Amino acid sequence: MVSIKGGRKQLAMGAVATVTAGLALGAFALSGTANGATETAKPADTAKPTIVLEHGAFADGSSWNGVISRLKADGYPVVAAANPLRGPASDAAALRSVLDHLKGPKIVVGHSYGGNVISEAATNDPDVKALVYVAAFLPAPGESALELTNKYPGSTLPGTLDPVTYQQTEGSTVTDLYIQQDKFRHQFAADVPAKQAALMAAEQRPIAQSALEEKATTAAWKAIPSWDIVTTEDLNIPPAVQRFMAKRAHAHTTEVAASHSVAVSHPRLVTDVIERAARATVR
């Protein structure tokens, strides 16, 4: 486990491996021809896996912006999928349609409730080479996000919620959960600049209350190598819960003193962990 105090400790980036890889990519093989001349072979394939990012509750795809820009600068194709936030089964079906559409190896990343979704969507998908959980849930079959949140004390989320109930056309009632905007920064993004946190509060997407109560049916982390970023100043998912899930999944774990919005406040750290997972699992 790597521990980051205040997000300032630099992660080892495998400099020797990077130099070696660079030399290998730049090398050209020589082969003999009938007249004794030589010809230059093509460089080795440099294709990188696609990084698929799944946001969680009270957020949207823009929460990954800092991570996306860094991944793309490093040559990775990236897709930030839209999460409907209706329930793990239906949300996983939506994400699975994206995964099926993308060809080649993939690294799938989930933040918060997005961890529930990737754990189901990636099950039995041979093209998903690694899972990365970012301040996220790693439920086992039969567990819900709400159940895991309450496993250890520390979450102050319930007191900040702003429920909105509406009736669907067929007559069923749905309760959507928002975070009250004046409480959003302290609860969700305490280490994000105030102006940016205010924008996030206004743009937040609600999650159906039933989604947090719906139980998982599969757990892709049981078969796919996993990485986990544990946020030790998290007020949504208590750090003790995050550590419990990471240990159970035998995940490669990095701890950082950060809020629940770690992808916004520490995008370089999150990018580094994703790229480490990609290098370790895609050859």
Side-chain angles (χ1 to χ4, degrees), residues 48-50 99 101-107 125-129:
K48 292 185 176 181
T50 300
L99 297 177
H101 179 72
L102 298 169
K103 305 306 179 185
K106 292 172 276 288
I107 308 299
D125 188 336
D127 288 334
V128 176
K129 303 304 181 182

Side-chain angles (χ1 to χ4, degrees), residues 44 95 100 134-135 153 228 255:
L95 178 58
D100 290 344
V134 181
D228 197 333
E255 292 198 359

Side-chain angles (χ1 to χ4, degrees), residues 161-176:
L161 293 174
D162 184 16
V164 176
T165 300
Y166 63 95
Q167 193 172 56
Q168 300 189 103
T169 54
E170 76 277 10
S172 62
T173 299
V174 175
T175 298
D176 273 351

Side-chain angles (χ1 to χ4, degrees), residues 208-271:
Q209 180 175 314
S210 58
L212 300 178
E213 300 167 349
E214 184 179 320
K215 296 182 182 300
T217 58
T218 62
W221 49 261
K222 290 188 175 183
I224 301 174
S226 300
W227 277 253
D228 197 333
I229 298 174
V230 172
T231 42
T232 62
E233 297 179 359
D234 200 313
L235 298 181
N236 273 34
I237 308 176
V241 177
Q242 294 185 49
R243 292 186 183 109
F244 161 76
M245 294 184 290
K247 182 178 180 180
R248 179 176 65 180
H250 304 290
H252 305 273
T253 304
T254 299
E255 292 198 359
V256 57
S259 75
H260 194 61
S261 295
V262 63
V264 180
S265 61
H266 294 78
R268 179 73 264 173
L269 168 68
V270 175
T271 303

Side-chain angles (χ1 to χ4, degrees), residues 47-54 64 67 71 76-81 95 98-99 102-110 118 122 125-134 224-228 270-283:
K48 292 185 176 181
T50 300
I51 311 300
V52 181
L53 305 169
E54 182 83 342
W64 296 110
V67 174
L71 287 169
Y76 288 90
V78 185
V79 174
L95 178 58
V98 175
L99 297 177
L102 298 169
K103 305 306 179 185
K106 292 172 276 288
I107 308 299
V108 183
V109 185
I118 71 171
D125 188 336
D127 288 334
V128 176
K129 303 304 181 182
L131 301 169
V132 181
Y133 294 88
V134 181
I224 301 174
S226 300
W227 277 253
D228 197 333
V270 175
T271 303
D272 288 345
V273 173
I274 293 170
E275 292 186 358
R276 196 186 314 150
R279 289 194 301 270
T281 57
V282 180
R283 305 298 181 183

Side-chain angles (χ1 to χ4, degrees), residues 36-104:
T38 59
E39 62 180 11
T40 303
K42 294 182 179 180
D45 185 8
T46 59
K48 292 185 176 181
T50 300
I51 311 300
V52 181
L53 305 169
E54 182 83 342
H55 68 80
F58 318 116
D60 62 15
S62 67
S63 61
W64 296 110
N65 282 354
V67 174
I68 293 170
S69 62
R70 287 166 171 80
L71 287 169
K72 290 180 75 68
D74 291 341
Y76 288 90
V78 185
V79 174
N83 188 346
L85 303 173
R86 301 296 87 188
S90 62
D91 295 341
L95 178 58
R96 196 174 297 114
S97 70
V98 175
L99 297 177
D100 290 344
H101 179 72
L102 298 169
K103 305 306 179 185

